Amino acid sequence: MTLPKTQRLQADLLAWYDRHRRVLPWRAAPGERADPYAVWLSEIMLQQTTVATVKNYFERFLQRWPTVKHLAAAPLDDVLTEWAGLGYYARARNLHKCAAVVAEQHGGRFPADEAALLALPGIGRYTAAAIAAIAFDRPATVVDGNVERVVSRLHAIETPLPESKPEIWRRAGAITPEKRAGDFAQAMMDLGATVCTPRNPLCMVCPWSWACEARAAGVAAELPRKKDKKPRPTRYGMAFWLERDGPAGREVLLRRRPEEGLLGGMMEVPSSPWVEDDAADGWSHAPAQAEWTAVDEPVVHVFTHFRLELDVVRGEVSAGAKAEGIWVRLDRLADYALPTVMTKIVKTAMG
Ligand code: SF4
């Protein structure tokens, strides 16, 4: 029986992974469930550094602090010292903060779902998806640089990065299987790291060569295209889409940006400061206490000097609830001059 294309892509990649998976110290043996602590630790370390460098650090950390509770109980200075050489100390601080939250608020167990993971210090969209998939086998879509390259080539996406990111996420999501999602995510990463390499992809041994549009078009090594030779820095933040029932219909909270600075004085969906550290804690800038849920795709907007990536979360408060800002009826939003980046948030939040 011939499988539909998506299922065949999934089956072929998983079969390839079963034969060619990389052995990594944080990876569970075939058929075993990975330790969420180990997955989290490795993912945070890997955000800055190569697999080869991380291996040593990872093993030292795990030996010294075998569980998240041990790490939470360690003095911050010890953690920073052990981290020395990995750079980006904000990550080590967040690592320690996150361990404390998991130990104190989650009884030493990482939550399994992406939104709850995203609420932890230092865990951004990618890391939340990676932990959910790899440690808990949730069907989360994990897109790192390797996956971006593989997916761009599989579908011959000619739009340059970073504009192509939403399409890449969508395409990657469409082939994420319900079962073995963790293996699938790691398989895509391994494929990108060992076969679908940046300069000389080894299409002859690729399990997806039969389906790969870039290979068929002879442009594999040229993809993904990148827009700028000189990359713009990326800043990150969170946007909080907060609704309530108003006297005349649904309302959303807006507020005015400070006069000084970018988009000065313009209306915005309340957001955290836009910073270069993608693991910065945005939650402390939430305009109200609410049950927040993450919206799937981040809003990407390119300003002259930087690219902005905003994680959008949606929440709701009761009818009379107070929050700093202006409650605007959803059907009156058009009366407000929102800058483009904000209209993108509106579109994303309202689906
Ligand atoms: Fe990458 Fe080649 Fe495989 Fe396409 S066929 S996914 S370009 S290695």
Side-chain angles (χ1 to χ4, degrees):
M1 193 183 73
T2 319
L3 289 174
K5 185 175 173 187
T6 301
Q7 276 165 263
R8 194 175 153 201
L9 285 170
Q10 294 165 348
D12 286 357
L13 186 62
L14 286 167
W16 173 86
Y17 183 68
D18 290 339
R19 286 195 307 274
H20 300 288
R21 46 185 285 145
R22 287 179 293 175
V23 177
L24 299 171
W26 46 86
R27 240 179 214 179
E32 277 178 21
R33 184 60 67 82
D35 172 8
Y37 172 58
V39 173
W40 164 73
L41 191 60
S42 63
E43 287 298 340
I44 302 289
M45 288 179 169
L46 284 164
Q47 283 169 13
Q48 301 299 335
T49 323
T50 59
V51 165
T53 309
V54 165
K55 278 182 183 169
N56 291 334
Y57 282 88
F58 173 81
E59 276 161 0
R60 277 212 314 273
F61 262 69
L62 215 62
Q63 207 162 33
R64 188 157 178 192
W65 301 299
T67 69
V68 70
K69 285 187 176 171
H70 288 95
L71 184 60
L76 174 62
D77 272 349
D78 288 3
V79 177
L80 291 174
T81 309
E82 204 66 81
W83 187 271
L86 273 177
Y88 298 90
Y89 289 88
R91 289 199 192 280
R93 286 175 203 282
N94 271 327
L95 186 87
H96 191 245
K97 229 191 271 177
C98 181
V101 174
V102 173
E104 286 156 23
Q105 295 174 20
H106 296 274
R109 299 164 81 94
F110 277 85
D113 108 346
E114 262 182 283
L117 285 162
L118 207 50
L120 295 172
I123 295 193
R125 186 179 179 218
Y126 162 77
T127 311
I131 298 173
I134 298 169
F136 298 104
D137 224 13
R138 297 280 173 107
T141 301
V142 186
V143 180
D144 69 353
N146 280 323
V147 176
E148 273 177 2
R149 184 167 59 256
V150 173
V151 172
S152 297
R153 290 173 176 173
L154 180 64
H155 295 289
I157 297 173
E158 285 286 342
T159 312
L161 281 166
E163 279 77 2
S164 56
K165 278 195 180 224
E167 183 177 357
I168 292 173
W169 272 92
R170 204 169 47 248
R171 300 274 199 175
I175 53 173
T176 301
E178 285 292 318
K179 285 190 186 143
R180 294 191 69 190
D183 281 350
F184 188 80
Q186 295 176 98
M188 281 240 261
M189 292 177 192
D190 281 16
L191 190 72
T194 63
V195 174
C196 195
T197 50
R199 255 169 247 139
N200 299 303
L202 306 169
C203 303
M204 299 295 284
V205 296
C206 177
W208 280 354
S209 59
W210 60 271
C212 181
E213 293 176 30
R215 179 181 182 255
V219 293
E222 291 162 37
L223 299 184
R225 300 199 191 280
K226 303 219 167 97
K227 191 160 190 189
D228 292 315
K229 288 241 158 56
K230 197 165 82 78
R232 283 188 183 87
T234 297
R235 293 191 194 165
Y236 301 88
M238 290 180 75
F240 300 91
W241 181 265
L242 187 64
E243 289 188 21
R244 71 172 189 185
D245 275 320
R250 288 294 278 180
E251 298 176 328
V252 63
L253 185 72
L254 298 184
R255 70 177 181 196
R256 191 169 296 287
R257 290 179 62 82
E259 292 301 325
E260 301 291 304
L262 196 66
L263 310 178
M266 300 186 82
M267 296 303 284
E268 69 165 3
V269 175
S271 33
S272 66
W274 303 340
V275 293
E276 293 204 6
D277 178 5
D278 69 338
D281 173 27
W283 288 102
S284 56
H285 301 276
Q289 287 272 2
E291 279 273 302
W292 297 102
T293 53
V295 173
D296 265 349
E297 283 177 3
V299 163
V300 174
H301 186 73
V302 182
F303 291 98
T304 320
H305 298 296
F306 66 95
R307 180 182 164 270
L308 178 65
E309 207 173 292
L310 289 172
D311 280 324
V312 182
V313 292
R314 255 190 315 234
E316 185 172 348
V317 286
S318 55
K322 299 228 179 334
E324 219 189 303
I326 306 159
W327 289 99
V328 173
R329 260 175 43 199
L330 287 180
D331 59 353
R332 302 297 289 274
L333 264 178
D335 297 350
Y336 290 79
L338 292 173
T340 313
V341 59
M342 295 300 150
T343 56
K344 287 185 182 174
I345 295 172
V346 173
K347 251 173 130 180
T348 300
M350 294 181 74

